[in-house]
């Protein structure tokens, strides 16, 4: 008997399936942003009870959830996807470290925000149209939705569940139904909330969020499929009168048309998930799923009064597996441009694929190269679609939008100490067969000022290379005290000026590793006193050092911020050769009255390692190590030598002090970074370091210098900070600790980044 039931079980399943097919059930999913993720819980409850779903229509987030189900993803798979870290990145506009391409990231500077303008229209085409960058969202939807529609000839009726989505044609002010085409494109149009995500153009028409004109497409379900019974899931209502200061509410009221959320006939039922998750609250969507699931359980008995025939979940899963197994693996064999003017297509192809070798990109390789292409500063936006070819590979079609010609960067550092500075930069960028940029920037401040200009050409290839030439002026002006902004600043005791120019060749090794060759000519001019007791009538000593330097640097970085990181890692190794000529002039505080002319040649090795571990959700622990080996010979006097030496300055604010105790020819040091995330974007950090010179410089009574015994002069340094990462830069309160100073503890409040242009050789 058990054996007989085993043999008949498949027959019962088939009979149940065809019986249920006699009564067709449609599911309509409303928009609602993060609250619309409650539809996942609705699907989960319906499928567990065996309620068949024969058709789906959705708007906005309902279209996203519905399309995933229509492509053969189970409710459990959809739930895992929307709860994943990738989905969090998608909805916030962030990228995982694996998607960043270090080679194409610009050198860190003190900018806190930037904006771009178009050459042909300064105002109309220069206002940003999105809060988040949807590049990861578009890629993931290509991988999950676009490949499915391409495999089934772009026919939404051929999907696992026949599907319709709606979007809004804002030019003609009407709702548009998508029943064929690129599914990822149709869903991207449907979820494009104005000013949150940039709009896309399909067949020459610009589309926005489907919820603007039809947030609950019951009419689409009736007109397209005519099901016997309709189940609706709605998480929204028509906009009510909003407060006059509620920008989002006013914008929503102006743009949207009222939607009928009531079932117009008896052969239907509307589930209303009772969720308090708001439109943009994507950090709480697990609650939305639970709310959708629990609310649906209350309606199941009523649904079963109308839906008599059920489909076992096991049968649905087998059918789902069969559907998805027929989709060819994602393999890219051709790249095309959907742009009317495709002058940049050559750059794109050489970056993405080896055409001459008939290369076929695997999914993993395609992913890596796609994000490499996006990191080019000359590219503003890429939207991908797929076409299935006769050999079961895919042609990738890219709708590429070039970046606006001019980019402006503004920032600086505002502090309670007298080390304030402003930063401004401007870049002109273009892309054709190669990508190029012309950049100029300047820092303004009493403590630090600088000017820089460079021209770069990015040669496209699978392993790309950038050639650049540059010119830099730097000036540091150190004071005799650790003065606050409100205290009188004592006269300068040290001024360092630098001029250098050269060429740089940069190429990628992996996504997170780059290699840089640099050759430059330099002129350094240091003005200083050799006594702490100087007056306004004294004249300073001066050392001029000019020459040539060549260096090679290997850098790996996945740090999530350019300063005050709490995630990722860094490895840097750099070797520098220096050949120069010193000329020192004596001042009134000098021990000598002669002019010194000395040749110097040396090699410098520099290594740095940093890595953060997340021990708990709110605690990040970093290990930070640095070391220098330097064969530099002694300059004409102690102070001149000290000024030329590399410094150990792992604490951010150490760069704004002249701390002789952390300068030596050869040294190593390391410490711990404890970062407590008190709230999103608010960290409390403790950075503590130990410093050990290998050889230490010692001043003689006659002003000359010599080396002490090895491994003398070790000390500590550290800081503790509250850091608020605002959208336009860090705001912090910091207590620094330098134990060998007269005032070892220094407190400051500041905003912005403590970043400078690279020094010439130090």
């Amino acid at each position: 008997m058990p054996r007989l039931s085993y043999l008949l079980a498949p027959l019962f399943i088939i009979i149940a399936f065809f019986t249920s097919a006699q009564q067709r059930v449609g599911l309509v999913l409303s928009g609602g942003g993060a609250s619309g993720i409650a539809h996942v819980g609705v699907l989960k409850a319906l499928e567990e009870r065996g309620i068949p779903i024969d058709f789906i229509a959705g708007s906005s987030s309902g279209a996203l959830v519905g399309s995933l189900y229509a492509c053969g993803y189970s409710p459990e798979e959809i739930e895992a996807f929307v709860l994943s870290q990738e989905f969090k990145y998608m909805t916030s506009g962030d990228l995982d470290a694996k998607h960043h391409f270090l080679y194409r990231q610009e050198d860190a500077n003190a900018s806190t925000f930037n904006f771009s303008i178009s050459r042909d229209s300064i105002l109309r085409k220069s206002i940003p149209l999105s809060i988040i960058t949807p590049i990861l969202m578009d890629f993931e939807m290509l991988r999950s939705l676009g490949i499915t529609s391409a495999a089934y000839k772009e026919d939404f009726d051929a999907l696992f569940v026949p599907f319709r989505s709606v979007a809004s044609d804002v030019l003609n002010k009407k709702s548009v139904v998508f029943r064929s085409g690129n599914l990822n494109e149709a869903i991207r149009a449907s979820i494009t909330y104005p000013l949150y995500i940039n709009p896309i153009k399909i067949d020459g028409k610009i589309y926005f969020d489907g919820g603007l004109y039809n947030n609950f497409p019951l009419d689409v379900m009736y007109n397209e499929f005519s099901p016997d019974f309709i189940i609706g899931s709605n998480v929204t209502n028509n906009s009510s009168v909003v407060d006059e200061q509620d920008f989002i509410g006013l914008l929503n009221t102006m743009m949207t048309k009222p939607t009928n959320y009531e079932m117009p006939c008896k052969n239907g039922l509307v589930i209303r998930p009772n969720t308090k998750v708001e439109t943009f609250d994507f950090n709480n969507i697990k609650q939305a799923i639970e709310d959708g699931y629990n609310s649906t359980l209350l309606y199941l008995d009523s649904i079963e009064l109308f839906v008599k025939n059920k489909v076992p979940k096991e049968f649905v899963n087998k059918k789902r597996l069969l559907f998805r197994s027929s989709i060819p693996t994602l393999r890219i064999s051709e790249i095309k441009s959907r742009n009317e003017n495709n002058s940049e297509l050559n750059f794109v192809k050489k970056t993405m694929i080896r055409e001459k070798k008939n290369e076929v990109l695997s999914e993993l390789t395609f992913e890596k190269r796609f994000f490499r292409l996006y990191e080019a500063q000359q590219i503003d936006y890429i939207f991908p679609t797929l076409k299935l070819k006769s050999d079961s590979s895919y042609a990738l079609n890219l709708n590429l939008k070039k970046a606006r010609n001019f980019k402006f960067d503004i920032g600086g550092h505002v502090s309670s100490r007298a080390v304030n500075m402003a930063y401004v930069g401007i870049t002109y960028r273009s892309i054709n067969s190669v990508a190029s940029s012309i950049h100029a920037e300047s820092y303004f401040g009493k403590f630090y000022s600088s000017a820089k200009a460079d021209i770069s050409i990015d040669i496209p290839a699978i392993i790309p290379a950038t050639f650049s030439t540059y010119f830099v002026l730097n000036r540091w002006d150190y004071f005799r005290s650790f003065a606050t902004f409100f205290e009188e600043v004592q006269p300068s005791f040290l001024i360092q000026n630098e001029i250098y120019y050269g060429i740089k060749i940069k190429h990628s090794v992996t996504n997170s590793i780059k290699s840089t060759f640099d050759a430059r000519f330099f002129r350094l001019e240091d003005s200083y006193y050799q006594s702490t007791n100087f007056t306004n009538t004294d004249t300073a000593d001066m050392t001029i050092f000019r020459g040539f330097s060549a260096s090679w640097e290997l850098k790996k970085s996945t740090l999530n911020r350019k300063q005050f990181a709490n995630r990722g890692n860094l490895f840097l190794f750099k070797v520098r050769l220096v050949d120069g000529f010193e000329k020192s002039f004596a001042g009134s505080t000098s021990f000598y009255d002669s002019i010194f002319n000395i040749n110097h040649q040396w090699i410098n090795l520099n290594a740095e390692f940093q890595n953060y571990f997340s021990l708990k959700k709110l605690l990040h622990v970093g290990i930070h190590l640095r070391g220098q080996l330097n064969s530099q010979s002694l300059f004409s006097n102690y102070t001149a030598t000290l000024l030329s030496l590399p410094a150990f300055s792992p604490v951010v604010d150490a760069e704004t002090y002249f701390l002789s105790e952390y300068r030596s020819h050869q040294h190593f040091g390391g410490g711990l970074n404890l970062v407590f995330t008190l709230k999103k974007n608010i960290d409390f950090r403790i950075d503590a370091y130990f410093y050990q010179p290998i050889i230490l410089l010692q001043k003689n009574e006659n002003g000359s210098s010599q080396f002490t015994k090895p491994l003398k002069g070790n000390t500590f340094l550290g800081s503790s900070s509250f850091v608020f990462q605002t959208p336009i830069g860090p705001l912090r309160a910091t207590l620094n600790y330098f134990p060998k100073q007269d005032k070892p503890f220094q407190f400051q409040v500041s905003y912005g980044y403590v970043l400078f242009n690279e020094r010439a050789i130090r």
Side-chain angles (χ1 to χ4, degrees):
M1 188 67 181
R3 183 175 300 175
L4 179 62
S5 62
Y6 175 79
L7 294 173
L8 292 177
L11 179 62
F12 289 146
I13 292 175
I14 295 172
I15 293 173
F17 171 70
F18 284 105
T19 303
S20 65
Q22 297 174 5
Q23 185 186 35
R24 302 181 304 173
V25 178
L27 179 65
V28 180
L29 305 177
S30 75
S35 61
I37 305 300
H39 302 317
V40 179
V42 174
L43 285 166
K44 193 175 180 181
L46 292 175
E47 195 168 282
E48 285 179 356
R49 190 65 72 95
I51 305 298
I53 299 172
D54 300 294
F55 313 105
I56 298 180
S59 181
S60 193
S61 58
L64 175 60
V65 173
S67 65
L68 289 168
Y69 190 84
C71 284
Y73 293 93
S74 69
E76 291 75 18
E77 289 174 317
I78 301 173
E79 181 179 23
F81 172 64
V82 298
L83 293 178
S84 68
Q85 185 62 49
E86 287 290 295
F87 191 77
K88 290 181 180 179
Y89 287 140
M90 287 169 55
T91 55
S92 64
D94 293 331
L95 286 176
D96 188 89
K98 68 180 181 181
H99 291 135
H100 285 294
F101 191 28
L102 182 65
Y103 160 78
R104 286 205 169 104
Q105 291 180 14
E106 299 175 49
D107 293 336
N109 55 49
S111 66
T112 54
F113 67 96
N114 62 70
F115 62 94
S116 301
I117 64 173
S118 177
R119 183 171 54 183
D120 57 351
S121 178
I122 292 180
L123 179 61
R124 292 184 62 185
K125 295 184 180 180
S126 300
I127 299 174
L129 294 175
S130 62
I131 295 175
I132 71 167
T133 302
I135 189 68
L136 179 61
M137 177 187 299
D138 294 336
F139 177 82
E140 289 296 334
M141 289 199 298
L142 177 83
R143 184 156 59 180
S144 57
L145 305 178
I147 188 174
T148 307
S149 62
Y152 284 91
K153 300 181 180 180
E154 300 179 359
D155 181 5
F156 294 0
D157 286 334
L159 298 176
F160 178 69
V161 176
F163 174 73
R164 299 290 184 269
S165 71
V166 298
S168 299
D169 179 351
V170 293
L171 180 62
N172 297 306
K173 294 181 173 55
K174 66 178 183 180
S175 181
V176 176
V177 179
F178 286 94
R179 54 182 66 87
S180 62
N182 297 297
L183 182 59
N184 63 307
E185 198 170 43
I187 301 306
R188 176 62 167 77
S190 187
I191 64 174
T192 301
Y193 192 87
L195 298 184
Y196 187 71
I197 308 175
N198 63 285
I200 64 168
K201 185 181 288 187
I202 304 175
D203 297 330
K205 294 182 179 179
I206 297 175
Y207 290 96
F208 275 101
D209 196 290
L212 297 181
Y213 301 147
N214 189 353
N215 202 36
F216 194 44
L218 284 167
D219 57 330
V220 174
M221 177 60 69
Y222 273 111
N223 298 332
E224 295 286 323
F225 299 120
S226 300
D228 301 301
F229 187 78
I230 295 178
I231 300 171
S233 177
N234 174 43
V235 296
T236 62
N237 292 297
N238 288 314
S239 299
S240 57
V241 178
V242 297
D243 187 271
E244 66 274 14
Q245 295 182 335
D246 181 1
F247 174 76
I248 296 297
L250 287 169
L251 182 67
N252 188 58
T253 301
M254 287 189 295
M255 293 188 302
T256 59
K257 291 182 178 180
T259 296
N260 181 12
Y261 294 104
E262 300 298 327
M263 191 67 65
C265 65
K266 294 182 179 179
N267 293 330
L269 180 150
V270 178
I271 300 169
R272 301 183 186 276
N274 183 22
T275 183
K276 294 182 179 180
V277 176
E278 297 183 352
T279 304
F280 299 107
D281 186 12
F282 288 99
N283 292 318
N284 203 25
I285 56 178
K286 183 175 182 180
Q287 184 61 52
I289 296 172
E290 293 177 0
D291 293 338
Y293 180 84
N294 293 329
S295 296
T296 305
L297 295 180
L298 302 177
Y299 288 86
L300 287 177
D301 290 340
S302 299
I303 293 172
E304 288 177 335
L305 294 176
F306 297 92
V307 181
K308 301 295 185 181
N309 302 306
K310 297 183 179 181
V311 178
K313 185 176 178 64
E314 294 77 11
F315 178 81
V316 176
N317 284 333
K318 289 180 180 179
K319 183 184 175 187
R320 182 179 283 131
L321 181 63
L322 181 63
F323 173 85
R324 290 174 58 180
S325 65
S326 63
I327 300 173
T329 304
L330 182 56
R331 296 164 54 249
I332 307 294
S333 61
E334 185 180 3
I335 296 177
K336 299 179 179 180
S337 173
R338 299 174 65 188
N339 298 53
E340 295 177 1
N341 180 7
N342 61 353
S343 60
E344 67 281 353
L345 182 59
N346 188 45
F347 180 89
V348 172
K349 285 185 175 180
K350 287 184 177 180
T351 301
M352 292 284 291
I353 195 169
R354 296 181 178 95
E355 276 193 311
K356 293 182 179 179
K357 295 184 178 181
N358 297 318
E359 183 182 23
V360 177
L361 305 182
S362 66
E363 181 176 335
L364 184 61
T365 303
F366 162 57
E367 178 180 2
K368 180 169 63 176
R369 294 183 187 173
F370 178 81
F371 286 99
R372 282 188 172 192
L373 176 65
Y374 169 71
E375 288 277 6
Q377 65 166 321
Q378 292 82 2
I379 294 175
D380 182 62
Y381 181 63
I382 308 170
F383 190 85
T385 55
L386 295 171
K387 291 283 186 181
L388 184 65
K389 300 173 65 176
S390 58
D391 62 356
S392 295
S393 67
Y394 294 87
L396 176 69
N397 294 283
L398 295 177
N399 185 3
L400 186 148
K401 182 180 179 183
K402 293 190 287 187
R404 298 181 178 101
N405 302 108
F406 292 96
K407 180 170 76 81
F408 290 89
D409 293 279
I410 298 174
H413 181 238
V414 180
S415 173
S416 57
R417 290 177 52 234
V419 290
N420 301 287
M421 60 185 177
Y423 171 86
V424 62
I426 180 173
T427 306
Y428 176 80
R429 51 209 179 175
S430 63
I431 180 172
N432 288 291
S433 57
V434 298
S436 60
S437 66
I438 302 173
H439 175 75
E441 65 181 33
S442 184
Y443 289 82
F444 307 91
K446 177 172 175 54
F447 165 69
Y448 176 70
S449 56
S450 178
K452 177 182 178 181
D454 64 76
I455 301 173
S456 298
I457 298 176
D458 186 349
I459 308 299
I462 301 305
I463 302 177
T466 296
F467 297 84
S468 60
T469 180
Y470 57 85
F471 177 84
V472 180
L473 296 170
N474 284 327
R475 177 183 173 87
W476 282 268
D477 189 345
Y478 294 92
F479 314 121
R480 279 296 304 153
S481 73
F482 286 8
T484 67
F485 184 76
F486 302 101
E487 294 175 344
E488 181 181 355
V489 177
Q490 297 183 19
S492 304
F493 77 104
L494 166 61
I495 297 175
Q496 292 184 303
N497 290 291
E498 298 183 343
I499 300 175
Y500 64 92
Y501 55 91
I503 59 172
K504 186 179 293 186
I505 302 173
K506 178 177 64 173
H507 70 90
S508 69
V509 180
T510 68
N511 268 23
S512 60
I513 302 176
K514 68 176 181 179
S515 171
T516 305
F517 296 89
D518 188 294
R520 64 182 55 165
F521 293 93
F522 62 86
R523 183 184 187 276
L524 313 182
E525 182 182 293
D526 295 339
S527 177
Y528 53 91
Y529 294 96
Q530 295 205 52
S531 171
T532 57
N533 300 315
F534 62 89
T535 67
N536 292 333
T537 60
D538 285 316
T539 58
D541 284 45
M542 180 177 293
T543 295
I544 297 173
F545 184 53
R546 66 178 71 202
F548 172 79
S549 173
S551 68
W552 173 69
E553 177 185 275
L554 185 69
K555 182 178 181 181
K556 178 183 186 297
S557 178
T558 60
L559 296 178
N560 62 329
R561 296 167 184 156
K562 57 185 176 181
Q563 274 189 338
F564 310 110
N566 61 11
R567 190 173 65 246
N569 57 70
L570 167 73
F571 171 77
L572 182 145
F573 174 77
K574 188 171 186 176
V575 55
R576 179 184 294 280
L577 301 174
V578 178
D579 184 359
F581 181 78
E582 173 201 354
K583 191 168 189 177
S584 291
F585 304 87
S588 61
T589 62
S590 177
F591 295 90
Y592 306 96
D593 58 4
S594 55
I595 298 176
F596 289 86
N597 296 284
I598 308 174
N599 287 314
H600 298 277
Q601 297 86 31
W602 72 79
I603 183 171
N604 182 78
L605 302 178
N606 174 29
E608 182 175 4
F609 171 79
Q610 188 171 22
N611 190 43
Y612 282 94
F613 304 91
S614 295
L615 297 184
K616 294 183 178 180
K617 185 177 180 181
L618 301 180
L619 175 61
H620 311 275
V621 178
I623 298 174
H624 194 183
L625 306 174
R626 283 188 178 184
Q628 293 265 359
L629 294 176
N630 191 357
S631 64
Q632 178 181 335
S633 55
L634 298 176
F635 275 53
S636 59
N637 60 71
Y638 168 81
T639 307
T641 305
L642 188 67
L643 295 178
S644 67
L645 295 180
F648 180 76
S649 53
V651 174
V652 168
D653 294 315
E655 295 278 0
T656 64
Y657 300 97
F658 186 79
L659 303 170
S660 59
E661 64 267 35
Y662 301 111
R663 289 174 174 260
S664 60
H665 284 77
Q666 299 177 18
H667 61 253
F668 64 88
L672 290 177
N673 315 109
L674 302 178
V675 186
F676 301 88
T677 302
L678 306 179
K679 201 174 181 181
K680 183 181 179 182
N681 296 329
I682 299 179
D683 292 337
F684 173 67
R685 45 184 313 132
I686 300 174
D687 303 294
Y689 291 89
F690 171 76
Y691 166 72
Q692 176 64 68
I694 299 175
I695 56 174
L696 186 65
L697 198 66
Q698 178 177 294
K699 185 176 182 179
N700 298 323
E701 292 183 0
N702 63 357
S704 63
S705 56
Q706 67 178 29
F707 296 121
T708 63
K709 292 182 179 180
L711 302 178
K712 297 290 184 179
N714 56 62
T715 186
F716 298 89
L717 72 160
S719 72
S720 60
S721 305
F722 284 96
V723 184
F724 174 35
Q725 296 286 347
T726 76
I728 54 172
L731 177 66
R732 63 188 172 99
T734 300
L735 181 66
N736 292 305
Y737 175 61
F738 307 115
K740 292 193 175 183
Q741 294 297 313
D742 293 336
K743 296 179 180 179
F745 291 98
Q746 295 292 325
F747 177 78
Q748 70 180 67
V749 177
S750 61
Y751 160 75
Y753 296 103
V754 185
L755 289 169
F756 314 104
N757 280 325
E758 182 184 13
R759 287 182 177 263
I761 60 171
R762 293 182 262 223

